[in-house]
Amino acid sequence: TYISGGFGSVSSAISATDITNSGTIDVTASTKLSGVLNLGGIVGRNGGPHGNYKNLTNNGAITVHKGAGSYSAIYLGGIAGGQPATENATHTHYNCVNNGDITIEKGITCGGNIRLGGCIAWVKAGYCDKIKNTGDINMHANTAAGSRQILLGGVFGYNAGSGVTMEGADGGYINTGNINVTGGTPGSTNGFATAIGGVIGTFYGNFKNGINIGNITFTGDYGTNKSCIGGILGHSTSVGTISGCKQYGDIAVYPAKNPTDNLYANVTGVITGSARVEKNGNTAGTAVVRDCYLGGRVAVNCVTGTDANGDETTLPDWKNITADNFSEFIYRGMNGTEADGCQHLTAAPTLPW
């Protein structure tokens, strides 16, 4: 199934420039609308060998509603959904902005992976620069029945291979939208169940100059599945370098569990949740977090408090990130990661564009 505010599916070389969608997109699963859902504000799926996407803007909200049908996988992006091109293809995304909120409602049934990006769900090859998301992302993970993995990022959901270049200019990848994921994580056959990043959910290779000032909230019953939550990057599948990034949004992950060597559920790194190579539970090689800036607050536990009506409720147990403790929060709960030249950020950074 291919749905968008512009091109449903692209199977040949294309050059798409100066396109804006301002209409809302509402999708409800049915017995006739099922299978793999490729959904984007401008492009549903790009399966062509070459593509040039420039000056694309989505202003419309995108919502996936519960229905009678189910999906085998969901690839959803504010600009583009599925991008399963070969690694030797040349896809360029430049100056693309999503301003629309994205919602996956409670009750959705999905038997495969969910890849969700504020701008682009799935990138496999090409060059990306000046990509920004300002829309909020809201997802109810507990009802994604049978899903193997949820890979979610404020800008990109999933980078699938070494053919992607994401080393743009200062502030080349920006998220200002809030990310809210509630409910338990799905089962996983690939080592971890959920990866959430303020900029990228899961990434392969090097990443440079991302900025996140959106808040991330991940709550619910996580069972025994692994989850990786980071202000910039959720999970890395390769030995690479994360550099020049700035993170200032609040991150709340609760109720929290005590991490073990093989379970880093609910472990939060302000820059990265898991910057390492993981294969069968083992770490191979070293990932580097270099010259990044971090500030704001982190909550990896909860306390009992009262809500606005005076009723008892669960609240995040906040820790302020300071000049004295910021090094504790660069990455969390893993071996095979090094940090170099990182600094405390005292206020939200000025956005370059």
Side-chain angles (χ1 to χ4, degrees):
T1 303
Y2 313 115
I3 301 173
S4 80
F7 307 95
S9 178
V10 177
S11 58
S12 59
I14 185 174
S15 179
T17 61
D18 302 316
I19 298 173
T20 297
N21 172 59
S22 295
T24 59
I25 300 175
D26 292 274
V27 178
T28 301
S30 68
T31 55
K32 294 183 178 180
L33 181 58
S34 59
V36 177
L37 176 62
N38 295 271
L39 175 59
I42 304 295
V43 181
R45 175 185 180 269
N46 179 15
H50 308 290
N52 180 33
Y53 300 94
K54 183 178 180 181
N55 303 336
L56 307 184
T57 302
N58 176 59
N59 297 319
I62 301 174
T63 304
V64 180
H65 302 275
K66 177 183 178 180
S70 62
Y71 299 109
S72 56
I74 297 175
Y75 308 136
L76 193 166
I79 296 295
Q83 300 278 320
T86 60
E87 292 193 12
N88 60 357
T90 55
H91 285 161
T92 298
H93 298 86
Y94 181 80
N95 196 31
C96 297
V97 178
N98 175 59
N99 299 314
D101 293 344
I102 297 174
T103 302
I104 295 183
E105 290 187 341
K106 184 176 182 179
I108 301 300
T109 299
C110 179
N113 295 331
I114 296 176
R115 295 166 180 168
L116 194 162
C119 290
I120 302 173
W122 181 6
V123 182
K124 194 168 184 178
Y127 173 79
C128 299
D129 194 11
K130 289 197 71 176
I131 314 294
K132 179 194 291 186
N133 174 61
T134 68
D136 291 343
I137 298 173
N138 298 286
M139 180 175 180
H140 296 271
N142 60 326
T143 54
S147 297
R148 293 197 302 270
Q149 291 179 328
I150 296 173
L151 312 179
L152 187 157
V155 180
F156 304 98
Y158 177 54
N159 163 24
S162 58
V164 181
T165 300
M166 290 189 180
E167 298 181 278
D170 180 31
Y173 319 100
I174 297 174
N175 177 58
T176 66
N178 297 323
I179 298 172
N180 300 289
V181 179
T182 60
T185 62
S188 173
T189 59
N190 299 313
F192 65 98
T194 301
I196 301 173
V199 178
I200 302 182
T202 296
F203 186 71
Y204 183 105
N206 300 325
F207 181 71
K208 185 177 181 180
N209 292 332
I211 297 176
N212 177 57
I213 60 173
N215 299 326
I216 300 173
T217 304
F218 183 43
T219 63
D221 178 11
Y222 311 123
T224 59
N225 296 314
K226 301 175 183 178
S227 299
C228 314
I229 293 77
I232 298 295
L233 171 68
H235 178 79
S236 175
T237 61
S238 71
V239 175
T241 299
I242 304 164
S243 61
C245 295
K246 300 174 182 178
Q247 154 64 25
Y248 199 77
D250 291 342
I251 304 174
V253 182
Y254 66 98
K257 296 179 182 295
N258 294 323
T260 67
D261 290 341
N262 295 317
L263 173 65
Y264 44 96
N266 318 331
V267 174
T268 302
V270 174
I271 296 299
T272 175
S274 173
R276 70 175 186 179
V277 176
E278 183 192 15
K279 185 176 182 180
N280 299 325
N282 298 316
T283 300
T286 301
V288 178
V289 181
R290 176 175 293 139
D291 299 328
C292 292
Y293 297 79
L294 58 152
R297 301 183 300 172
V298 173
V300 292
N301 212 326
C302 58
V303 295
T304 300
T306 55
D307 59 21
N309 297 319
D311 297 325
E312 186 175 291
T313 187
T314 300
L315 300 172
D317 185 11
W318 291 110
K319 286 188 177 180
N320 291 321
I321 298 171
T322 67
D324 294 327
N325 68 12
F326 78 91
S327 61
E328 302 174 19
F329 298 99
I330 296 172
Y331 58 89
R332 296 292 298 276
M334 73 220 69
N335 299 314
T337 305
E338 296 179 354
D340 178 37
C342 295
Q343 300 181 46
H344 177 234
L345 192 61
T346 59
T350 301
L351 302 180
W353 62 288

